[in-house]
Amino acid sequence: MVKIVRKKVLNPSVTLLEVEAPLIARKAQAGQFIILRVDEHGERIPLTIADYDREKGTVTIIFQKVGLTTELLGDLNEGDSIRDFVGPLGLPTELPEGAKRVCVVGGGVGCAIAYPQAKSLHAQGIGVDVIAGFRSKDIVILEEEFKAACDNLYITTDDGSYMEKGFVTDKLKSLIDAGNQYDAVIAIGPIPMMKFVSAVTKPYGIKTIVSLNPIMIDGTGMCGGCRVTVGGKMKFACVDGPDFDGHEVDFDELMSRNTVYRGEEAEEKQRHACRMDELAKEMIH
Amino acid sequence: MPNMSLTKVPVPEQDAKVRSRNFEEVCLGYTREQAMEEATRCLNCKNKPCVGGCPVNIHIPEFIAKVAEGDFKAAYEIISDTNALPGVSGRVCPQESQCEKYCVRGIKGEPVAIGRLERFVADWYRENINEMPVKPESNGIRVAVVGSGPAGLTCASDLAKQGYQVTMFEAFHTAGGVLVYGIPEFRLPKAIVANEVEKLTAMGVDLETDMVVGKTYTIDEMFEEGYEAVFVGSGAGLPMFMGIEGETLAGVYSANEYLTRINLMKAYLNSYDTPIKKIKRAAIVGGGNVAMDAARCAMRMGAEHVYVVYRRGEEEMPARREEIHHAKEEGIEFLFLNNPVKILGDEKGCVWAMECIKMELGEPDASGRRRPIEVPGSEFELEVDAVIMSLGTSPNPLIRSTTPGLDINKKGCLIADEETMATTREGVYAGGDAVTGAATVILAMGAGKKAAEAMDKYLKEKHSK
């Protein structure tokens, strides 16, 4: 059991939780993730470690409510507990040796994960530009945090309701074309966005690291549910990743694998209301 | 006067038609009368070959004599003296190749049903007495056990009995290893595993779940923080795939994933959140016990056709005869001498068929089994919407890659002394599948037992200096 010490609603669908997990906080590095299970009947889901505080012994996660488990998680409050919280899992992000300037690209809730990357690189003295893309103004998150964690912040919205109109890929291409030299691009967000960012950088030969989000169960390499094809080879994202070379990843395959349970997930989500009753009962007992 | 019947007293089972659609236990176990009757078949022979066939050396004729007398409590005490998990081993041991293989009664007729009797005693005790063991007096020495599968549970139990302060680290949220995520409820009810774990905690074993050793915590840190010896029983949980085209299509599972979703995450029950695909026609590739478990689970999850695709013949199958027999009764279809060539997907990336090729058996290979050879031009498509790969597993590299000084062989298994289970690193012992590669529950229990003895000896010597 881990206790929630802070909850912050970042936008109507995105929530931040800071939990007490000293052993994980002691080891966590940017790029790694945790697996959690909300309660006894819960499923195990992976979430990237958005931040950690070794002194306080806390780990922060940021998630979007997209289905039953994230809805249940979003309904928890400060002082509540999460049944299981396992980590840090996966390998930390590894930059090309001697990298001096990096562009971190975040899409939507992926910005939650792009943020600690930017923060950690910035703290190491590496030049960091951030492109944070959102559908519209009302879902923009972490703007202030980003400002403090990079040299240049570019925010884009698909509909132009805030800052620059357009996609992160347009912005990235224009920055590269304007002569910005990047030793690496780190892209974190929806699969199509990571796919298109990789397509933008490929002709320029810029090393592009993507953080993949396949379906996972154990997160320790014992089931292969999270397998992805990278450079023509089968990899388990939970132990070999979750970061991979974006120019080598088969994104289309990942997208189709991630839709396997769409029907079942819709059914599960409808059970949200009755699950809440069960939870309430458990808490009373 | 012993019961000279040539056959075992039959054991009641759930009807095949009914059980193939539920997850309740297939074998219902002996009644007390049946157990007492079977027990009288034991001749209590002088040289007791059965005991030598048991990896944890249960005092078999002694406990059976108590069953024959109807003193089940005494029988339980004799078994639990050497075996930490009687309710488990009585159910999942391949007795035909262990204790019962050496039974004198088996020379002419069937051997004594040692497994069924052990199971009866364990179940009777749990249902009627279920006394928790008393916590032994602590000697203050801390030891760590990594992994809570059969090897770790046995090692922890034996060390706790000696007074060691044992902490058991488990990566999953539930203790039991393959007993909870792999072996299905219909062969091994999870309540039995939970009961055994409860007994361990009653003996003072501290269970830490959600601890991935190598990630959350390392073996070096254990020594730094005061643990004086470590047992690694982390198993062989890394699934193998064939390396054929189409293995990353949606609908292709490792048996580990399929079984973990069903057994550990309880996807077969509606009240649990983990989803599982509704499969109409499933192909299970492989011929071991895990393949049988996966096939029988697929049937219980409502599949219309479940095929076991195995590249050799029925004789060569490594699965227990009883499991094959049960699977056949439940309507599983066996495609012997067939091997997958590739898996075919539709435009959405989902499996719709598996291309197979027929095989014939050639000369025996290094393993002594006849080598399967492809029959050219015999390819055909088997229409399925799921493929479950059950080709075996190998040890997970997580622990060895984060523990300096721990040597492995070329198969990735930890190197450990056969007698003491000592690894190449002082104070670190290992046993079970982490050392042997995928094997049986009872061999893992035997290894955990040997390691506990050696650790006790090592620590006593260390402290007497």
Side-chain angles (χ1 to χ4, degrees):
Chain A
M1 293 275 250
V2 298
K3 200 172 133 198
I4 297 166
V5 293
R6 185 165 70 102
K7 175 181 182 174
K8 191 176 168 191
V9 176
L10 299 182
N11 75 29
S13 67
V14 178
T15 309
L16 174 153
L17 294 178
E18 185 178 347
V19 304
E20 254 171 30
L23 287 176
I24 302 175
R26 182 167 84 167
K27 292 275 173 67
Q29 286 174 272
Q32 290 187 299
F33 66 96
I34 56 96
I35 292 255
L36 65 78
R37 194 170 68 125
V38 176
D39 58 58
E40 259 326 298
H41 289 235
E43 61 181 335
R44 296 167 66 96
I45 62 158
L47 288 172
T48 305
I49 295 170
D51 208 350
Y52 50 82
D53 187 326
R54 300 206 205 279
E55 308 265 292
K56 271 167 74 189
T58 61
V59 169
T60 301
I61 49 172
I62 299 179
F63 56 93
Q64 186 169 17
K65 294 186 208 168
V66 290
L68 174 67
T69 299
T70 43
E71 295 271 359
L72 292 170
L73 195 59
D75 290 338
L76 297 179
N77 290 304
E78 284 170 18
D80 290 345
S81 289
I82 299 171
R83 179 70 185 73
D84 297 286
F85 201 82
V86 191
L89 301 170
L91 299 175
T93 303
E94 217 176 289
L95 278 187
E97 212 163 310
K100 290 196 182 68
R101 193 157 177 236
V102 171
C103 185
V104 176
V105 186
V109 74
C111 289
I113 315 310
Y115 162 65
Q117 291 286 7
K119 185 178 150 190
S120 136
L121 296 172
H122 195 60
Q124 291 169 48
I126 293 171
V128 180
D129 285 0
V130 170
I131 307 172
F134 302 93
R135 211 174 48 242
S136 60
K137 186 183 175 181
D138 53 318
I139 59 164
V140 172
I141 55 169
L142 299 169
E143 187 177 353
E144 289 312 309
E145 286 87 344
F146 269 124
K147 273 187 193 155
C150 67
D151 305 312
N152 300 293
L153 172 64
Y154 308 97
I155 293 179
T156 65
T157 46
D158 299 357
D159 62 1
S161 54
Y162 189 62
M163 307 293 269
E164 286 181 56
K165 180 176 163 51
F167 297 126
V168 289
T169 41
D170 304 330
K171 186 67 205 173
L172 178 62
K173 190 162 189 323
S174 71
L175 286 173
I176 298 170
D177 288 339
N180 286 282
Q181 295 283 331
Y182 296 118
D183 300 310
V185 167
I186 299 177
I188 303 158
I191 302 168
M193 172 259 178
M194 293 192 284
K195 177 183 170 178
F196 291 124
V197 166
S198 302
V200 165
T201 56
K202 195 162 185 191
Y204 299 94
I206 303 172
K207 171 88 177 175
T208 300
I209 300 164
V210 294
S211 177
L212 300 187
N213 54 348
I215 292 172
M216 286 187 191
I217 301 131
D218 63 292
T220 60
M222 65 81 75
C223 84
C226 65
R227 62 196 188 278
V228 289
T229 304
V230 181
K233 291 201 180 85
M234 185 193 287
K235 299 278 179 188
F236 289 6
C238 71
V239 288
D240 301 318
D243 285 356
F244 291 100
D245 181 342
H247 299 151
E248 302 265 306
V249 171
D250 185 338
F251 288 104
D252 295 336
E253 177 188 276
L254 174 59
M255 246 179 286
S256 87
R257 281 186 65 80
N258 272 11
T259 58
V260 178
Y261 294 104
R262 198 149 282 174
E264 286 81 359
E265 277 162 4
E267 268 174 43
E268 294 284 342
K269 204 176 164 184
Q270 286 181 345
R271 298 200 347 250
H272 181 220
C274 46
R275 284 284 274 106
M276 288 314 292
D277 291 345
E278 278 170 42
L279 263 183
K281 265 185 242 157
E282 273 174 35
M283 281 173 185
I284 293 162
H285 288 302
Chain B
M1 194 37 209
N3 169 357
M4 290 313 287
S5 164
L6 291 181
T7 53
K8 293 175 179 178
V9 173
V11 68
E13 282 175 355
Q14 252 201 93
D15 178 74
K17 277 222 168 61
V18 177
R19 74 176 191 239
S20 67
R21 297 297 178 193
N22 71 44
F23 273 82
E24 283 152 42
E25 202 171 10
V26 169
C27 173
L28 304 172
Y30 280 151
T31 60
R32 48 189 297 147
E33 290 74 23
Q34 288 165 333
M36 286 169 76
E37 189 191 339
E38 177 63 23
T40 58
R41 290 185 65 230
C42 175
L43 303 175
N44 196 8
C45 49
K46 223 179 247 165
N47 55 352
K48 311 180 200 318
C50 52
V51 178
C54 170
V56 295
N57 305 123
I58 296 174
H59 305 302
I60 293 166
E62 286 88 337
F63 100 74
I64 292 182
K66 291 295 173 192
V67 176
E69 286 169 25
D71 189 351
F72 307 133
K73 185 166 186 281
Y76 177 83
E77 279 153 10
I78 294 167
I79 296 173
S80 63
D81 189 36
T82 58
N83 181 0
L85 311 166
V88 173
S89 53
R91 285 177 164 82
V92 304
C93 266
Q95 286 99 4
E96 71 268 25
S97 56
Q98 297 181 321
C99 55
E100 293 181 18
K101 181 180 176 180
Y102 301 97
C103 175
V104 170
R105 293 297 305 267
I107 298 167
K108 193 180 165 208
E110 287 183 345
V112 175
I114 302 167
R116 292 176 188 171
L117 291 174
E118 181 190 17
R119 170 195 160 138
F120 166 78
V121 171
D123 288 355
W124 178 89
Y125 186 85
R126 195 180 59 256
E127 284 154 19
N128 293 281
I129 301 193
N130 203 24
E131 227 169 66
M132 286 294 136
V134 182
K135 186 178 168 179
E137 197 181 324
S138 170
N139 63 15
I141 301 173
R142 289 169 77 198
V143 292
V145 170
V146 179
S148 65
L153 290 172
T154 307
C155 186
S157 163
D158 282 15
L159 288 169
K161 276 185 200 162
Q162 302 291 323
Y164 291 96
Q165 224 174 298
V166 185
T167 309
M168 191 156 63
F169 296 97
E170 167 57 44
F172 265 135
H173 52 263
T174 308
V178 74
L179 308 176
V180 294
Y181 76 74
I183 302 174
E185 181 79 14
F186 57 81
R187 281 216 292 138
L188 177 62
K190 301 307 150 222
I192 290 171
V193 185
N195 183 260
E196 303 288 9
V197 173
E198 206 185 322
K199 283 187 204 150
L200 268 191
T201 45
M203 273 196 284
V205 173
D206 194 10
L207 172 65
E208 297 264 5
T209 52
D210 295 338
M211 290 282 273
V212 185
V213 173
K215 287 283 180 190
T216 316
Y217 202 41
T218 64
I219 288 178
D220 284 316
E221 287 168 326
M222 290 175 188
F223 281 113
E224 280 161 28
E225 287 166 24
Y227 290 98
E228 297 188 39
V230 177
F231 174 75
V232 180
S234 50
L238 196 72
M240 294 185 209
F241 286 90
M242 295 186 79
I244 58 173
E245 195 183 319
E247 270 183 312
T248 44
L249 287 166
V252 182
Y253 292 92
S254 71
N256 264 10
E257 177 184 353
Y258 190 68
L259 292 171
T260 299
R261 282 181 184 272
I262 292 175
N263 300 323
L264 179 73
M265 305 312 298
K266 304 202 186 301
Y268 71 93
L269 296 173
N270 258 331
S271 59
Y272 286 75
D273 299 343
T274 301
I276 188 131
K277 203 81 199 146
K278 286 180 187 76
I279 298 171
K280 283 208 179 83
R281 301 163 72 92
I284 286 80
V285 181
N289 286 320
V290 177
M292 296 305 106
D293 285 343
R296 297 171 72 194
C297 278
M299 187 55 97
R300 283 161 172 76
M301 294 302 290
E304 289 157 18
H305 286 277
V306 178
Y307 306 102
V308 169
V309 178
Y310 181 53
R311 64 197 181 119
R312 303 185 205 239
E314 180 163 6
E315 287 306 301
E316 287 79 23
M317 276 187 103
R320 283 179 70 190
R321 297 297 113 182
E322 191 189 344
E323 303 309 324
I324 301 170
H325 172 72
H326 277 148
K328 282 186 175 169
E329 281 183 340
E330 289 165 14
I332 312 285
E333 298 158 62
F334 286 79
L335 301 178
F336 295 113
L337 292 165
N338 277 289
N339 207 29
V341 183
K342 65 178 168 189
I343 303 164
L344 309 168
D346 61 18
E347 69 285 353
K348 284 183 188 156
C350 298
V351 174
W352 75 267
M354 184 166 80
E355 189 180 308
C356 299
I357 189 162
K358 295 204 178 298
M359 311 291 276
E360 56 190 18
L361 292 179
E363 295 299 309
D365 63 11
S367 75
R369 291 183 301 177
R370 293 177 64 192
R371 197 165 62 88
I373 303 165
E374 292 184 352
V375 178
S378 65
E379 291 90 345
F380 67 99
E381 279 166 10
L382 180 68
E383 205 176 304
V384 289
D385 55 1
V387 175
I388 301 168
M389 291 293 178
S390 178
L391 310 160
T393 52
S394 61
N396 191 313
L398 203 51
I399 288 175
R400 66 179 194 245
S401 65
T402 54
T403 310
L406 216 48
D407 290 351
I408 51 163
N409 66 18
K410 59 177 191 292
K411 285 183 176 164
C413 302
L414 294 175
I415 294 173
D417 183 277
E418 267 179 42
E419 284 314 307
T420 65
M421 310 316 288
T423 65
T424 50
R425 167 107 182 239
E426 196 197 321
V428 180
Y429 295 74
D433 289 3
V435 170
T436 56
T440 62
V441 166
I442 190 72
L443 285 175
M445 290 171 59
K449 199 167 188 60
K450 275 195 211 167
E453 271 173 35
M455 289 164 82
D456 178 42
K457 196 164 160 251
Y458 164 77
L459 291 165
K460 285 212 171 100
E461 272 172 25
K462 193 179 157 207
H463 281 264
S464 69
K465 277 177 194 163

